[in-house]
Amino acid sequence: MNKRIIAFLLFIVAFLIFGETIVRIFKLVSDFPYQKSKNDILMYEYIPNFKGEMWGKEFKTNSFGYRDYNYSINKSTSTFRIIVLGDSITVGEGLLLDDTYTKILEVMLNESPPESDYNHFEVMNMGVCAYNTIRE
């Protein structure tokens, strides 16, 4: 190969390595919590157990890949579960997890439970940003 071509290719590689280093040092891009879904309708989903930052706030997903706490699969008979599907509003874009409407609802239900056979409520946030009715 021509020495000029080799020098040019080495320059490109060095430039890309330098650029990647700058981006990582100064965190010029936010973490990206998405992965390609095996389900063609969903197209993408959150990465399970992701820890990072989105919209300038801490963003974590549970072991199922949702922005919520890790609830046990098994629940007591006195626990009532509510699953909330939705998009960025349900996820709580720009909010801490405890400030999302799903967590506020959970606290309200547990502080002043409605008359029922249940004494504990879990409101599960299964929203994903930019999901539409079909994906939900």
Side-chain angles (χ1 to χ4, degrees), residues 27-44:
K27 288 195 81 100
L28 297 177
V29 294
S30 65
D31 298 318
F32 199 68
Y34 301 101
Q35 66 184 2
K36 182 174 175 23
S37 177
K38 293 176 184 174
N39 184 318
D40 291 337
I41 293 171
L42 295 180
M43 295 172 47
Y44 61 92

Side-chain angles (χ1 to χ4, degrees), residues 31-34 46-70 90-92 95-98 100 103 125-127:
D31 298 318
F32 199 68
Y34 301 101
Y46 288 133
I47 298 167
N49 298 310
F50 175 85
K51 292 179 184 172
E53 187 175 294
M54 293 228 352
W55 317 291
K57 302 282 185 187
E58 176 184 71
F59 188 87
K60 294 192 284 187
T61 61
N62 62 22
S63 58
F64 297 104
Y66 295 107
R67 186 181 188 206
D68 209 333
Y69 304 120
N70 272 315
T90 299
V91 170
L95 300 173
L96 294 172
L97 177 60
D98 288 337
T100 62
K103 294 300 113 192
N125 185 337
M126 295 189 177

